[in-house]
Coordinates of all heavy atoms in Angstrom, one line a residue:
M1 N 46.5 -28.8 -1.8 CA 47.1 -27.9 -2.8 C 46.9 -26.5 -2.4 O 45.7 -26.1 -2.1 CB 46.6 -28.2 -4.2 CG 47.3 -27.5 -5.3 SD 46.5 -27.8 -6.9 CE 45.1 -26.7 -6.8
S2 N 47.9 -25.7 -2.5 CA 47.7 -24.2 -2.2 C 47.0 -23.6 -3.4 O 46.9 -24.1 -4.5 CB 49.1 -23.6 -2.0 OG 49.9 -23.7 -3.2
K3 N 46.5 -22.4 -3.2 CA 45.8 -21.6 -4.2 C 46.8 -21.3 -5.3 O 47.9 -20.8 -5.1 CB 45.2 -20.3 -3.7 CG 44.2 -19.7 -4.5 CD 43.7 -18.4 -4.0 CE 42.7 -18.6 -2.8 NZ 42.1 -17.2 -2.4
P4 N 46.5 -21.7 -6.6 CA 47.5 -21.4 -7.7 C 47.7 -19.9 -7.9 O 46.7 -19.2 -7.7 CB 46.9 -22.1 -8.9 CG 45.5 -22.6 -8.5 CD 45.3 -22.4 -7.1
K5 N 48.9 -19.6 -8.3 CA 49.1 -18.2 -8.7 C 49.4 -18.0 -10.1 O 50.4 -18.7 -10.6 CB 50.3 -17.7 -7.8 CG 50.6 -16.2 -8.1 CD 51.7 -15.7 -7.2 CE 52.0 -14.2 -7.5 NZ 53.1 -13.7 -6.6
Y6 N 48.7 -17.2 -10.8 CA 48.8 -17.1 -12.3 C 49.5 -15.7 -12.5 O 49.1 -14.7 -12.0 CB 47.4 -17.1 -12.9 CG 47.4 -16.9 -14.4 CD1 47.8 -17.9 -15.2 CD2 46.9 -15.7 -15.0 CE1 47.8 -17.8 -16.6 CE2 46.9 -15.6 -16.4 CZ 47.4 -16.7 -17.1 OH 47.4 -16.5 -18.5
I7 N 50.5 -15.8 -13.4 CA 51.3 -14.6 -13.7 C 51.3 -14.3 -15.2 O 51.6 -15.2 -16.0 CB 52.8 -14.8 -13.2 CG1 52.8 -15.2 -11.7 CG2 53.5 -13.5 -13.5 CD1 54.2 -15.5 -11.2
Y8 N 50.9 -13.2 -15.5 CA 50.9 -12.7 -16.9 C 51.0 -11.2 -17.0 O 50.9 -10.5 -16.0 CB 49.6 -13.2 -17.7 CG 49.7 -13.0 -19.2 CD1 50.7 -13.6 -19.9 CD2 48.8 -12.1 -19.8 CE1 50.8 -13.4 -21.3 CE2 48.9 -11.9 -21.2 CZ 49.9 -12.6 -21.9 OH 50.0 -12.4 -23.3
F9 N 51.2 -10.7 -18.2 CA 51.3 -9.2 -18.3 C 49.9 -8.6 -18.1 O 48.9 -9.4 -18.1 CB 51.8 -8.9 -19.7 CG 53.1 -9.4 -20.0 CD1 53.3 -10.4 -20.9 CD2 54.2 -8.8 -19.4 CE1 54.6 -10.9 -21.2 CE2 55.5 -9.3 -19.7 CZ 55.7 -10.3 -20.5
H10 N 49.8 -7.3 -18.0 CA 48.5 -6.6 -17.8 C 47.9 -6.4 -19.2 O 47.8 -5.3 -19.7 CB 48.7 -5.3 -17.1 CG 47.4 -4.7 -16.7 ND1 46.5 -5.4 -15.9 CD2 46.9 -3.5 -16.9 CE1 45.5 -4.6 -15.7 NE2 45.7 -3.4 -16.3
L11 N 47.6 -7.6 -19.8 CA 47.1 -7.6 -21.2 C 46.1 -8.7 -21.3 O 46.0 -9.6 -20.4 CB 48.2 -8.0 -22.2 CG 49.4 -7.2 -22.4 CD1 50.4 -8.0 -23.3 CD2 49.0 -5.9 -23.1
R12 N 45.3 -8.8 -22.4 CA 44.5 -10.0 -22.7 C 45.4 -10.9 -23.4 O 46.1 -11.8 -22.9 CB 43.3 -9.6 -23.4 CG 42.3 -8.9 -22.5 CD 41.0 -8.6 -23.2 NE 40.1 -7.9 -22.2 CZ 39.1 -7.2 -22.6 NH1 38.8 -7.0 -23.9 NH2 38.3 -6.6 -21.7
S13 N 45.5 -10.8 -24.7 CA 46.4 -11.5 -25.6 C 46.5 -13.0 -25.3 O 45.5 -13.6 -25.0 CB 47.8 -10.9 -25.5 OG 48.7 -11.4 -26.5
R14 N 47.7 -13.6 -25.3 CA 47.8 -15.1 -25.1 C 47.5 -15.5 -23.7 O 47.2 -16.6 -23.4 CB 49.2 -15.5 -25.4 CG 49.6 -15.4 -26.9 CD 50.9 -16.1 -27.2 NE 51.2 -16.1 -28.6 CZ 52.0 -15.2 -29.2 NH1 52.6 -14.3 -28.5 NH2 52.2 -15.2 -30.5
G15 N 47.5 -14.6 -22.8 CA 47.3 -14.9 -21.4 C 45.8 -14.9 -21.0 O 45.5 -15.2 -19.8
E16 N 44.9 -14.6 -21.9 CA 43.5 -14.4 -21.5 C 42.8 -15.7 -21.4 O 41.8 -15.8 -20.5 CB 42.8 -13.5 -22.5 CG 41.4 -13.0 -22.0 CD 41.4 -12.1 -20.8 OE1 42.5 -11.8 -20.3 OE2 40.3 -11.7 -20.4
L17 N 43.1 -16.7 -22.1 CA 42.4 -18.0 -22.1 C 42.3 -18.6 -20.7 O 41.2 -19.0 -20.3 CB 43.0 -19.0 -23.2 CG 42.2 -20.3 -23.3 CD1 40.8 -20.1 -23.7 CD2 42.9 -21.2 -24.3
P18 N 43.4 -18.8 -20.0 CA 43.3 -19.3 -18.7 C 42.4 -18.5 -17.8 O 41.7 -19.1 -17.0 CB 44.8 -19.3 -18.2 CG 45.6 -19.4 -19.4 CD 44.9 -18.6 -20.4
R19 N 42.5 -17.2 -17.9 CA 41.6 -16.3 -17.1 C 40.1 -16.6 -17.4 O 39.3 -16.6 -16.5 CB 41.9 -14.8 -17.3 CG 43.2 -14.4 -16.9 CD 43.4 -12.9 -17.2 NE 44.6 -12.3 -16.9 CZ 45.4 -11.5 -17.7 NH1 44.9 -11.2 -18.9 NH2 46.5 -11.1 -17.3
L20 N 39.8 -16.8 -18.7 CA 38.4 -17.0 -19.1 C 37.9 -18.4 -18.5 O 36.8 -18.5 -18.0 CB 38.3 -17.0 -20.6 CG 38.5 -15.6 -21.3 CD1 38.5 -15.8 -22.8 CD2 37.4 -14.7 -20.9
V21 N 38.8 -19.4 -18.6 CA 38.4 -20.7 -18.1 C 38.2 -20.6 -16.6 O 37.2 -21.2 -16.1 CB 39.5 -21.8 -18.4 CG1 39.2 -23.1 -17.8 CG2 39.6 -22.0 -20.0
A22 N 39.1 -19.9 -15.9 CA 38.9 -19.8 -14.5 C 37.6 -19.0 -14.1 O 36.9 -19.4 -13.2 CB 40.1 -19.1 -13.9
A23 N 37.3 -18.0 -14.9 CA 36.1 -17.2 -14.6 C 34.9 -18.0 -14.9 O 33.9 -18.0 -14.1 CB 36.1 -16.0 -15.5
V24 N 34.8 -18.8 -16.0 CA 33.6 -19.6 -16.3 C 33.4 -20.7 -15.2 O 32.3 -21.0 -14.8 CB 33.8 -20.3 -17.7 CG1 32.7 -21.3 -17.9 CG2 33.7 -19.2 -18.8
G25 N 34.6 -21.3 -14.8 CA 34.5 -22.3 -13.8 C 34.4 -21.9 -12.3 O 34.2 -22.7 -11.4
G26 N 34.5 -20.6 -12.1 CA 34.5 -20.1 -10.7 C 35.7 -20.5 -9.9 O 35.6 -20.6 -8.7
L27 N 36.8 -20.7 -10.6 CA 38.0 -21.1 -9.9 C 38.6 -19.9 -9.1 O 38.8 -18.8 -9.6 CB 39.0 -21.6 -10.9 CG 40.3 -22.1 -10.3 CD1 40.1 -23.4 -9.5 CD2 41.4 -22.3 -11.4
E28 N 39.0 -20.2 -7.8 CA 39.7 -19.2 -7.1 C 41.2 -19.4 -7.3 O 41.7 -20.5 -7.2 CB 39.4 -19.4 -5.6 CG 38.0 -18.9 -5.2 CD 37.8 -18.9 -3.7 OE1 38.8 -18.7 -3.0 OE2 36.7 -19.0 -3.3
Y29 N 41.9 -18.3 -7.6 CA 43.3 -18.3 -7.8 C 43.9 -16.9 -7.6 O 43.1 -15.9 -7.6 CB 43.7 -18.8 -9.2 CG 43.3 -17.9 -10.3 CD1 44.2 -17.1 -11.0 CD2 41.9 -17.7 -10.7 CE1 43.8 -16.3 -12.1 CE2 41.6 -16.9 -11.7 CZ 42.5 -16.2 -12.4 OH 42.1 -15.3 -13.4
E30 N 45.1 -16.9 -7.3 CA 45.8 -15.6 -7.2 C 46.3 -15.1 -8.5 O 46.6 -16.0 -9.4 CB 47.0 -15.6 -6.2 CG 46.6 -15.9 -4.8 CD 47.8 -16.0 -3.9 OE1 48.8 -15.3 -4.2 OE2 47.8 -16.8 -3.0
E31 N 46.4 -13.8 -8.7 CA 46.9 -13.4 -10.0 C 47.9 -12.2 -9.8 O 47.7 -11.4 -9.0 CB 45.7 -12.9 -10.9 CG 46.2 -12.4 -12.3 CD 45.1 -12.2 -13.3 OE1 44.0 -12.0 -12.9 OE2 45.5 -12.2 -14.5
E32 N 49.0 -12.3 -10.6 CA 49.9 -11.2 -10.6 C 50.0 -10.7 -12.1 O 50.2 -11.4 -13.0 CB 51.3 -11.6 -10.2 CG 52.3 -10.5 -10.2 CD 53.7 -11.0 -9.7 OE1 53.8 -12.0 -9.0 OE2 54.7 -10.3 -10.1
R33 N 49.7 -9.4 -12.2 CA 49.8 -8.8 -13.6 C 51.2 -8.0 -13.6 O 51.3 -7.0 -12.9 CB 48.6 -7.9 -13.8 CG 47.3 -8.7 -13.9 CD 46.2 -7.9 -14.4 NE 45.0 -8.7 -14.6 CZ 44.2 -8.7 -15.6 NH1 44.5 -8.0 -16.7 NH2 43.1 -9.5 -15.6
V34 N 52.0 -8.5 -14.5 CA 53.4 -8.0 -14.6 C 53.5 -6.8 -15.5 O 53.0 -6.8 -16.6 CB 54.3 -9.1 -15.1 CG1 55.8 -8.6 -15.3 CG2 54.3 -10.3 -14.1
K35 N 54.1 -5.7 -15.0 CA 54.4 -4.5 -15.8 C 55.6 -4.8 -16.8 O 56.5 -5.6 -16.4 CB 54.7 -3.3 -15.0 CG 53.6 -2.9 -14.1 CD 53.9 -1.6 -13.3 CE 52.8 -1.2 -12.4 NZ 53.2 -1.2 -11.0
F36 N 55.6 -4.2 -17.9 CA 56.7 -4.4 -18.8 C 58.0 -4.0 -18.2 O 59.1 -4.7 -18.4 CB 56.5 -3.7 -20.1 CG 55.4 -4.2 -21.0 CD1 54.4 -3.4 -21.5 CD2 55.3 -5.6 -21.3 CE1 53.3 -3.9 -22.3 CE2 54.2 -6.1 -22.0 CZ 53.3 -5.3 -22.5
S37 N 58.0 -3.0 -17.3 CA 59.2 -2.6 -16.7 C 59.8 -3.7 -15.7 O 61.0 -3.7 -15.4 CB 59.0 -1.3 -15.9 OG 58.0 -1.5 -14.9
E38 N 58.9 -4.6 -15.2 CA 59.3 -5.6 -14.3 C 59.8 -6.9 -15.0 O 60.4 -7.8 -14.4 CB 58.1 -6.0 -13.4 CG 57.6 -4.9 -12.5 CD 56.2 -5.2 -11.9 OE1 55.4 -5.9 -12.5 OE2 56.0 -4.7 -10.8
W39 N 59.4 -7.0 -16.3 CA 59.7 -8.2 -17.0 C 61.1 -8.7 -17.1 O 61.4 -9.9 -16.9 CB 59.0 -8.1 -18.4 CG 59.2 -9.3 -19.3 CD1 59.7 -9.3 -20.6 CD2 59.0 -10.7 -19.0 NE1 59.8 -10.5 -21.1 CE2 59.4 -11.4 -20.1 CE3 58.5 -11.4 -17.9 CZ2 59.3 -12.8 -20.2 CZ3 58.4 -12.8 -17.9 CH2 58.8 -13.5 -19.1
P40 N 62.1 -7.8 -17.4 CA 63.5 -8.2 -17.5 C 64.0 -8.9 -16.2 O 64.7 -9.9 -16.3 CB 64.3 -6.9 -17.7 CG 63.3 -6.0 -18.4 CD 62.0 -6.3 -17.7
G41 N 63.5 -8.6 -15.0 CA 63.9 -9.2 -13.8 C 63.2 -10.5 -13.5 O 63.7 -11.3 -12.7
L42 N 62.2 -10.8 -14.2 CA 61.4 -12.0 -14.0 C 61.7 -13.1 -15.1 O 61.6 -14.3 -14.8 CB 59.9 -11.7 -14.0 CG 58.9 -12.8 -13.8 CD1 59.1 -13.4 -12.4 CD2 57.5 -12.3 -13.9
K43 N 62.0 -12.6 -16.3 CA 62.1 -13.5 -17.4 C 62.9 -14.8 -17.2 O 62.5 -15.9 -17.5 CB 62.7 -12.7 -18.6 CG 62.8 -13.5 -19.9 CD 63.2 -12.6 -21.1 CE 63.5 -13.4 -22.3 NZ 62.3 -13.7 -23.1
S44 N 64.1 -14.6 -16.6 CA 65.0 -15.8 -16.4 C 64.5 -16.8 -15.4 O 65.0 -17.9 -15.3 CB 66.4 -15.3 -16.0 OG 66.4 -14.7 -14.8
K45 N 63.5 -16.4 -14.6 CA 62.9 -17.3 -13.6 C 61.9 -18.2 -14.1 O 61.5 -19.2 -13.5 CB 62.3 -16.5 -12.4 CG 63.4 -15.7 -11.6 CD 62.7 -14.9 -10.5 CE 63.7 -14.0 -9.9 NZ 63.0 -12.9 -9.1
T46 N 61.4 -17.8 -15.3 CA 60.2 -18.6 -15.9 C 60.8 -19.8 -16.7 O 61.9 -19.8 -17.2 CB 59.4 -17.7 -16.8 OG1 60.2 -17.3 -18.0 CG2 58.9 -16.5 -16.1
P47 N 60.0 -20.9 -16.8 CA 60.5 -22.1 -17.5 C 61.0 -21.9 -18.9 O 62.0 -22.5 -19.3 CB 59.3 -23.0 -17.5 CG 58.4 -22.6 -16.3 CD 58.6 -21.1 -16.3
Y48 N 60.3 -21.1 -19.7 CA 60.8 -20.9 -21.1 C 61.0 -19.4 -21.4 O 61.0 -19.0 -22.6 CB 59.7 -21.4 -22.1 CG 59.4 -22.9 -21.9 CD1 58.2 -23.3 -21.4 CD2 60.4 -23.8 -22.1 CE1 58.0 -24.7 -21.2 CE2 60.2 -25.2 -22.0 CZ 58.9 -25.6 -21.5 OH 58.7 -27.0 -21.3
G49 N 61.2 -18.6 -20.4 CA 61.5 -17.2 -20.7 C 60.3 -16.4 -21.2 O 60.4 -15.4 -21.8
Q50 N 59.1 -17.0 -20.9 CA 57.9 -16.3 -21.4 C 56.8 -16.4 -20.3 O 56.8 -17.2 -19.4 CB 57.4 -17.0 -22.6 CG 58.3 -16.7 -23.8 CD 57.7 -17.3 -25.1 OE1 57.2 -18.3 -25.2 NE2 57.8 -16.5 -26.2
L51 N 55.8 -15.6 -20.5 CA 54.5 -15.7 -19.7 C 53.4 -16.0 -20.6 O 53.5 -15.8 -21.8 CB 54.2 -14.3 -19.1 CG 55.3 -13.8 -18.0 CD1 54.9 -12.4 -17.5 CD2 55.3 -14.8 -16.8
P52 N 52.4 -16.7 -20.2 CA 52.0 -16.9 -18.8 C 52.7 -18.0 -18.1 O 53.2 -19.0 -18.7 CB 50.5 -17.2 -18.8 CG 50.3 -17.9 -20.1 CD 51.3 -17.2 -21.1
V53 N 52.7 -17.9 -16.7 CA 53.2 -19.0 -15.9 C 52.2 -19.2 -14.8 O 51.5 -18.3 -14.3 CB 54.5 -18.5 -15.3 CG1 54.9 -19.2 -14.0 CG2 55.7 -18.7 -16.3
L54 N 52.1 -20.5 -14.3 CA 51.3 -20.8 -13.2 C 52.2 -21.4 -12.1 O 52.9 -22.4 -12.4 CB 50.2 -21.8 -13.6 CG 49.2 -22.1 -12.5 CD1 48.2 -20.9 -12.2 CD2 48.3 -23.3 -12.8
I55 N 52.0 -20.9 -10.9 CA 52.8 -21.5 -9.7 C 51.8 -22.3 -8.9 O 50.8 -21.8 -8.4 CB 53.5 -20.4 -8.9 CG1 54.4 -19.5 -9.8 CG2 54.3 -21.1 -7.8 CD1 55.0 -18.3 -9.1
V56 N 52.1 -23.6 -8.8 CA 51.3 -24.5 -7.9 C 52.2 -25.2 -7.0 O 53.2 -25.9 -7.4 CB 50.6 -25.6 -8.8 CG1 49.7 -26.4 -7.9 CG2 49.8 -24.9 -9.9
D57 N 52.0 -25.0 -5.7 CA 52.8 -25.7 -4.6 C 54.3 -25.4 -4.9 O 55.1 -26.3 -4.8 CB 52.5 -27.2 -4.5 CG 51.1 -27.4 -4.0 OD1 50.6 -26.5 -3.3 OD2 50.6 -28.5 -4.3
G58 N 54.6 -24.2 -5.3 CA 56.0 -23.8 -5.5 C 56.7 -24.2 -6.8 O 57.8 -23.8 -7.1
K59 N 55.9 -25.0 -7.6 CA 56.5 -25.3 -8.9 C 55.9 -24.4 -10.0 O 54.7 -24.1 -10.0 CB 56.1 -26.8 -9.3 CG 56.8 -27.8 -8.5 CD 56.6 -29.2 -9.0 CE 57.5 -30.2 -8.3 NZ 57.2 -31.6 -8.8
W60 N 56.8 -24.0 -11.0 CA 56.4 -23.1 -12.0 C 56.0 -23.9 -13.3 O 56.9 -24.7 -13.8 CB 57.5 -22.1 -12.3 CG 57.8 -21.2 -11.2 CD1 58.0 -21.5 -9.9 CD2 58.0 -19.7 -11.3 NE1 58.2 -20.3 -9.2 CE2 58.2 -19.3 -10.0 CE3 57.9 -18.9 -12.4 CZ2 58.5 -17.9 -9.8 CZ3 58.2 -17.5 -12.1 CH2 58.4 -17.0 -10.8
Y61 N 54.9 -23.6 -13.8 CA 54.4 -24.3 -15.0 C 54.1 -23.2 -16.1 O 53.7 -22.1 -15.8 CB 53.1 -25.1 -14.8 CG 53.3 -26.2 -13.8 CD1 53.0 -26.0 -12.4 CD2 53.8 -27.4 -14.1 CE1 53.2 -27.0 -11.5 CE2 54.0 -28.5 -13.2 CZ 53.6 -28.2 -11.9 OH 53.8 -29.2 -10.9
A62 N 54.4 -23.6 -17.4 CA 54.2 -22.7 -18.5 C 53.2 -23.2 -19.5 O 52.7 -24.4 -19.4 CB 55.6 -22.5 -19.2
Q63 N 53.0 -22.4 -20.5 CA 52.1 -22.7 -21.7 C 50.6 -22.5 -21.4 O 50.0 -23.2 -20.6 CB 52.3 -24.1 -22.2 CG 53.8 -24.3 -22.7 CD 54.2 -23.4 -23.9 OE1 53.4 -23.2 -24.8 NE2 55.4 -22.9 -23.8
K64 N 50.1 -21.5 -22.1 CA 48.7 -21.1 -21.9 C 47.7 -22.2 -22.0 O 46.7 -22.3 -21.2 CB 48.3 -20.0 -22.8 CG 48.2 -20.3 -24.2 CD 47.7 -19.2 -25.1 CE 47.7 -19.6 -26.6 NZ 49.0 -20.0 -27.1
L65 N 47.9 -23.1 -23.0 CA 46.9 -24.2 -23.1 C 47.0 -25.2 -22.0 O 45.9 -25.7 -21.5 CB 47.1 -24.9 -24.5 CG 46.0 -25.9 -24.9 CD1 44.7 -25.2 -24.9 CD2 46.3 -26.4 -26.3
A66 N 48.2 -25.6 -21.6 CA 48.3 -26.5 -20.5 C 47.7 -25.9 -19.2 O 47.0 -26.6 -18.4 CB 49.8 -26.8 -20.2
I67 N 48.0 -24.6 -19.0 CA 47.4 -23.9 -17.8 C 45.9 -23.9 -17.9 O 45.2 -24.1 -16.9 CB 48.0 -22.5 -17.7 CG1 49.5 -22.6 -17.4 CG2 47.3 -21.7 -16.6 CD1 50.2 -21.3 -17.5
S68 N 45.4 -23.6 -19.1 CA 43.9 -23.6 -19.3 C 43.3 -24.9 -19.0 O 42.2 -25.0 -18.3 CB 43.6 -23.2 -20.7 OG 44.1 -21.9 -21.0
L69 N 43.9 -26.0 -19.5 CA 43.4 -27.3 -19.2 C 43.5 -27.7 -17.7 O 42.6 -28.4 -17.2 CB 44.1 -28.4 -20.1 CG 43.9 -28.2 -21.6 CD1 44.7 -29.2 -22.4 CD2 42.4 -28.3 -21.9
F70 N 44.6 -27.3 -17.1 CA 44.7 -27.5 -15.6 C 43.6 -26.8 -14.9 O 42.9 -27.4 -14.0 CB 46.1 -27.0 -15.1 CG 46.2 -27.1 -13.7 CD1 46.6 -28.3 -13.1 CD2 46.0 -26.0 -12.8 CE1 46.8 -28.4 -11.7 CE2 46.2 -26.1 -11.5 CZ 46.5 -27.3 -10.9
F71 N 43.3 -25.6 -15.2 CA 42.2 -24.8 -14.6 C 40.9 -25.6 -14.9 O 40.1 -25.7 -13.9 CB 42.1 -23.4 -15.1 CG 43.1 -22.4 -14.5 CD1 43.2 -21.1 -15.0 CD2 43.9 -22.8 -13.4 CE1 44.0 -20.2 -14.4 CE2 44.8 -21.9 -12.9 CZ 44.8 -20.6 -13.4
A72 N 40.7 -26.0 -16.1 CA 39.4 -26.6 -16.5 C 39.2 -27.9 -15.7 O 38.1 -28.2 -15.2 CB 39.4 -26.9 -18.0
R73 N 40.3 -28.6 -15.5 CA 40.2 -29.9 -14.7 C 39.9 -29.6 -13.3 O 39.2 -30.4 -12.6 CB 41.6 -30.7 -14.9 CG 41.5 -32.1 -14.3 CD 42.7 -32.9 -14.7 NE 42.7 -33.3 -16.1 CZ 43.6 -33.2 -17.0 NH1 44.7 -32.5 -16.6 NH2 43.5 -33.6 -18.2
Q74 N 40.5 -28.5 -12.7 CA 40.2 -28.2 -11.3 C 38.8 -28.0 -11.0 O 38.3 -28.2 -9.9 CB 41.0 -26.9 -10.9 CG 42.5 -27.1 -10.9 CD 43.0 -28.1 -10.0 OE1 43.4 -29.2 -10.4 NE2 42.8 -27.9 -8.7
V75 N 38.0 -27.5 -12.0 CA 36.6 -27.2 -11.8 C 35.7 -28.2 -12.5 O 34.5 -28.0 -12.6 CB 36.3 -25.8 -12.2 CG1 37.0 -24.8 -11.4 CG2 36.6 -25.5 -13.7
G76 N 36.2 -29.3 -12.9 CA 35.4 -30.4 -13.5 C 34.9 -30.1 -14.9 O 33.9 -30.7 -15.4
M77 N 35.5 -29.2 -15.6 CA 35.1 -28.9 -17.0 C 35.8 -29.7 -18.0 O 35.5 -29.6 -19.2 CB 35.3 -27.4 -17.3 CG 34.4 -26.5 -16.5 SD 35.0 -24.7 -16.6 CE 35.1 -24.4 -18.3
Y78 N 36.9 -30.4 -17.6 CA 37.7 -31.2 -18.6 C 38.0 -32.5 -18.0 O 38.7 -32.5 -16.9 CB 38.9 -30.4 -18.9 CG 39.9 -31.0 -19.9 CD1 39.5 -31.1 -21.3 CD2 41.1 -31.6 -19.5 CE1 40.4 -31.7 -22.2 CE2 41.9 -32.2 -20.4 CZ 41.6 -32.2 -21.7 OH 42.4 -32.8 -22.6
I79 N 37.5 -33.6 -18.5 CA 37.6 -34.9 -17.9 C 38.4 -35.9 -18.7 O 38.1 -37.0 -18.7 CB 36.2 -35.4 -17.5 CG1 35.4 -34.3 -17.0 CG2 36.3 -36.5 -16.5 CD1 33.9 -34.6 -16.7
C80 N 39.5 -35.5 -19.4 CA 40.3 -36.5 -20.1 C 41.5 -36.8 -19.3 O 42.0 -36.0 -18.5 CB 40.7 -35.9 -21.4 SG 39.4 -36.0 -22.7
Ligands
GSH1 N1 53.7 -20.9 -26.3 C1 53.5 -19.9 -25.2 C2 53.7 -18.5 -25.8 C3 53.9 -17.5 -24.7 C4 54.2 -16.1 -25.3 O1 54.4 -16.0 -26.5 N2 54.4 -15.2 -24.3 C5 54.8 -13.9 -24.7 C6 53.7 -12.9 -24.4 S1 52.2 -13.2 -25.2 C7 56.0 -13.5 -23.9 O2 56.2 -13.9 -22.8 N3 56.8 -12.5 -24.4 C8 57.9 -12.0 -23.7 C9 59.2 -12.5 -24.2 O3 59.3 -13.5 -25.0 O4 60.3 -12.0 -23.6 C10 52.1 -20.1 -24.6 O5 51.2 -20.6 -25.3 O6 52.0 -19.8 -23.4

């Protein structure tokens, strides 16, 4: 699996939870912080027209909780 790429605005807000899980677990990932001026050009490429998004092996995944649980599972913090 390639290193996941996490995309969210340059904010905490709803996108902070996956970052916190990754930080606690020591997960290595790439991150892109999107400026509001860049958002109109990106919105239609995202699964639900919203951020955050995680790109894994070329596939785009959405929803902060799903991304958080994916990160947690990657570092052995979530075993369901
Ligand atoms: N249910 C989504 C909510 C995502 C969401 O509300 N994203 C907002 C930013 S916090 C967004 O992308 N707003 C821009 C838009 O809707 O155009 C999740 O949990 O990830």
Side-chain angles (χ1 to χ4, degrees):
M1 188 184 78
S2 62
K3 197 184 281 188
K5 182 175 181 181
Y6 182 70
I7 305 175
Y8 190 62
F9 299 107
H10 192 54
L11 297 172
R12 289 186 178 156
S13 190
R14 292 189 175 99
E16 190 68 359
L17 182 61
R19 292 179 183 135
L20 291 172
V21 172
V24 169
L27 180 69
E28 287 191 26
Y29 67 106
E30 291 178 33
E31 181 170 21
E32 180 179 338
R33 292 190 179 228
V34 175
K35 296 186 182 116
F36 290 130
S37 60
E38 299 167 326
W39 176 233
L42 179 63
K43 184 175 172 79
S44 65
K45 296 180 188 161
T46 67
Y48 300 114
Q50 291 186 318
L51 295 177
V53 158
L54 185 71
I55 304 175
V56 183
D57 291 337
K59 289 191 176 177
W60 291 49
Y61 299 94
Q63 300 296 320
K64 65 178 179 302
L65 190 54
I67 295 169
S68 300
L69 295 177
F70 176 81
F71 279 175
R73 189 170 284 127
Q74 292 302 108
V75 296
M77 290 166 56
Y78 180 73
I79 315 176
C80 282

